[in-house]
């Protein structure tokens, strides 16, 4: 998100409930266009959505069709990162959000999923090169579909050594023609957050992903939350601490 200065400094620590309103006003003043269900885009350039924030030490790639909400929550807790929040590839027909890949009655369409992974991989490479940030200073993160894509990026054979991966309400992708290598951890951090009442991606699947990564040499933190297929302030607070420790 092209926030420019460290706008998190303007968000009162004592008023987490008003985080979205405070940060939206600050972002609008900084020249960023916000829209319900839309990606955050800099005026004048609808594609580029990244700028370093404050004394950022890490790049942070957030994959979510509704990226704004999550960046608002993350920044509200004073995580100083440079963030990229690309909009997913396919607008949903009901006009609320977007999808990274097309689905069939049997699950994700394999070709569409692989295309999403290839597209995001190239996008990450281009953005990191433009910002002068190496892959080992970039954390991949995503919710639901974005989490599946983030894990696929991090676990592809020969993938760059990303600084870490943060996956919410998702599992390891099982896609025809997509190879994964969970043994490439090399003691890098992974955060897996699941909803105890998630009926879309049952928590057992997320915890199985955590176990697979742990067995492959990742330093895994897995946390269950009293929620369904969603996100909470508690999750973002935990993620803030996790990011700060990298």
């Amino acid at each position: 998100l092209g926030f420019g200065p460290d706008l998190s400094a303007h968000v009162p620590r004592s008023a987490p409930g008003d985080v979205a309103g405070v940060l939206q006003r600050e972002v609008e003043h900084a020249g960023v266009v916000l829209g319900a269900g839309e990606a955050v885009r800099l005026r004048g350039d609808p594609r580029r959505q990244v700028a370093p924030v404050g004394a950022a030490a890490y790049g942070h790639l957030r994959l979510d069709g509704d990226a704004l909400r999550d960046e608002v929550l993350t920044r509200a807790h004073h995580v100083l990162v440079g963030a990229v929040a690309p909009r997913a590839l396919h607008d949903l027909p009901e006009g609320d959000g977007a999808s990274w890949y097309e689905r069939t009655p049997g699950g994700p369409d394999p070709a569409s999923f692989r295309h999403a992974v290839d597209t995001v991989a190239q996008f990450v490479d281009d953005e990191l090169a433009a910002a002068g940030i190496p892959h080992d200073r970039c954390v991949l993160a995503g919710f639901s579909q974005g989490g599946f894509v983030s894990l696929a990026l991090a676990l592809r054979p020969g993938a760059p050594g990303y600084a870490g991966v943060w996956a919410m309400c998702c599992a390891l992708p099982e896609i025809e023609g997509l190879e994964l290598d969970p043994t490439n951890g090399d003691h890098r951090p992974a955060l897996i957050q699941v909803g105890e009442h998630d009926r879309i991606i049952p928590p057992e699947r997320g915890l199985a992903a955590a176990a697979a990564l742990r067995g492959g040499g990742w330093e895994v933190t897995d946390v269950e939350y009293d929620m369904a297929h969603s996100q909470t302030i508690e999750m973002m607070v935990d993620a803030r601490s996790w990011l700060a420790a990298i």
Side-chain angles (χ1 to χ4, degrees), residues 131-145:
I133 299 174
H135 287 81
D136 63 6
R137 302 293 287 179
C138 173
V139 174
L140 301 173
F143 169 77
S144 192
Q145 285 194 357

Side-chain angles (χ1 to χ4, degrees), residues 4-58:
D6 178 16
L7 297 181
S8 63
H10 297 278
V11 180
R13 290 177 181 269
S14 60
D18 191 39
V19 160
V22 170
L23 198 51
Q24 177 160 335
R25 289 192 294 273
E26 294 295 342
V27 171
E28 287 172 345
H29 288 311
V32 179
V33 179
L34 307 185
E38 293 293 331
V40 178
R41 296 186 174 97
L42 293 178
R43 289 195 180 103
D45 188 343
R47 175 186 170 278
R48 189 165 179 76
Q49 306 168 63
V50 58
V53 177
Y58 282 87

Side-chain angles (χ1 to χ4, degrees), residues 80-104:
L80 298 180
V81 297
V84 181
R87 183 170 177 79
L89 299 175
H90 308 282
D91 289 334
L92 295 178
E94 58 269 29
D96 181 18
S99 172
W100 280 108
Y101 43 84
E102 297 176 353
R103 294 187 59 82
T104 71

Side-chain angles (χ1 to χ4, degrees), residues 113-238:
F113 189 97
R114 296 193 302 269
H115 173 70
V117 173
D118 290 341
T119 300
V120 175
Q122 187 61 58
F123 180 84
V124 175
D125 290 347
D126 292 346
E127 294 296 332
L128 291 179
I133 299 174
H135 287 81
D136 63 6
R137 302 293 287 179
C138 173
V139 174
L140 301 173
F143 169 77
S144 192
Q145 285 194 357
F148 280 98
V149 174
S150 293
L151 288 172
L153 282 172
L155 300 180
R156 289 205 299 183
Y162 296 104
V165 61
W166 166 22
M168 293 164 277
C169 294
C170 65
L172 287 180
E174 299 177 1
I175 305 295
E176 179 184 351
L178 178 73
E179 294 185 43
L180 298 181
D181 179 17
T183 67
N184 66 354
D186 196 26
H187 303 290
R188 287 175 291 151
L191 175 61
I192 308 294
Q193 296 176 312
V194 303
E196 294 176 337
H197 313 294
D198 193 337
R199 296 184 179 181
I200 298 176
I201 307 294
E204 293 80 10
R205 292 187 63 192
L207 296 177
L213 267 65
R214 187 176 288 113
W218 291 80
E219 297 292 337
V220 179
T221 301
D222 51 27
V223 189
E224 298 179 70
Y225 298 88
D226 183 16
M227 65 177 195
H229 195 72
S230 185
Q231 298 164 70
T232 66
I233 289 289
E234 182 184 5
M235 291 173 66
M236 299 303 120
V237 171
D238 290 344

Side-chain angles (χ1 to χ4, degrees), residues 59-92:
H60 171 210
L61 176 71
R62 185 71 167 85
L63 300 181
D64 194 340
D66 191 5
L68 168 61
R69 172 187 57 192
D70 309 305
E71 288 303 326
V72 164
L73 294 177
T74 302
R75 292 181 180 282
H77 290 286
H78 301 261
V79 178
L80 298 180
V81 297
V84 181
R87 183 170 177 79
L89 299 175
H90 308 282
D91 289 334
L92 295 178

